[in-house]
């Protein structure tokens, strides 16, 4: 049975306007997918007008809160004392959002209680996954 942690956070979209608009975003962590974090943005907050979900490593989020991390589609870095910047790079453009670091810490603490960092591999059933791959082949 899968156990999921879901937390809504307030993200501020970095734009050219002086006041950054707040957008709701949802962080999700599934114990059965222990290495990944999912961050979903609602349709009104996206250029395409559809809900967008980014999946990236929990370790990237944790490390990026301390110092700049990531060189691919998702990059994370601290911003001052109480903010963390997440950059999402896609062919259509780049979205940059600020999230309160305290909200991210609470989320990471909850995920760590569910699956401690460094022990993610214990949640994987590699024999089952391999059998599923072979069955489909």
């Amino acid at each position: 049975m899968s156990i999921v942690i879901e937390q809504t956070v307030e993200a501020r979209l970095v734009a050219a306007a002086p006041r950054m608009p707040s957008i709701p975003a949802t962080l999700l962590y599934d114990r059965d997918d222990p290495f990944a974090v999912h961050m979903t943005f609602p349709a009104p907050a996206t250029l395409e007008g559809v809900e967008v979900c980014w999946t990236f490593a929990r370790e990237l989020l944790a490390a990026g809160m301390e110092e700049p991390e990531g060189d691919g589609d998702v990059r994370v870095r601290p911003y001052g004392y109480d903010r963390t910047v997440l950059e999402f790079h896609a062919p259509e453009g780049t979205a940059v959002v600020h999230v309160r670091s305290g909200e991210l810490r609470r989320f990471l603490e909850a995920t760590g209680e569910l699956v401690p960092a460094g022990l993610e591999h214990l949640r994987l059933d590699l024999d089952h996954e391999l059998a599923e791959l072979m069955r489909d082949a």
Side-chain angles (χ1 to χ4, degrees):
M1 176 181 182
S2 181
I3 296 177
V4 174
I5 293 172
E6 189 171 322
Q7 177 180 322
T8 301
V9 296
E10 179 183 307
R12 292 212 177 262
L13 183 62
V14 176
R19 172 87 171 115
M20 295 185 292
S22 290
I23 55 173
T26 303
L27 291 168
L28 186 129
Y29 180 80
D30 185 338
R31 181 176 73 172
D32 290 343
D33 189 8
F35 291 101
V37 167
H38 308 275
M39 190 168 196
T40 304
F41 298 93
T46 68
L47 292 174
E48 296 83 19
V50 296
E51 182 177 273
V52 173
C53 182
W54 287 84
T55 301
F56 50 96
R58 175 173 69 161
E59 183 178 3
L60 172 67
L61 181 59
M65 292 180 65
E66 303 302 321
E67 61 183 84
E69 288 290 334
D71 56 7
D73 294 343
V74 179
R75 301 171 192 176
V76 183
R77 69 178 183 276
Y79 184 77
Y81 173 73
D82 65 343
R83 298 275 178 189
T84 299
V85 174
L86 292 97
E87 293 181 15
F88 300 97
H89 297 262
E92 300 80 19
T94 300
V96 179
V97 296
H98 290 190
V99 179
R100 287 187 183 102
S101 299
E103 291 181 304
L104 297 177
R105 277 190 205 94
R106 281 190 297 280
F107 175 75
L108 289 170
E109 287 170 7
T111 68
E113 290 173 11
L114 197 57
V115 179
L119 300 181
E120 295 91 349
H121 66 283
L122 298 176
R123 291 292 315 153
L124 300 177
D125 185 353
L126 296 178
D127 290 333
H128 173 74
E129 297 298 325
L130 182 57
E132 286 294 311
L133 283 173
M134 297 303 288
R135 181 181 59 83
D136 293 340

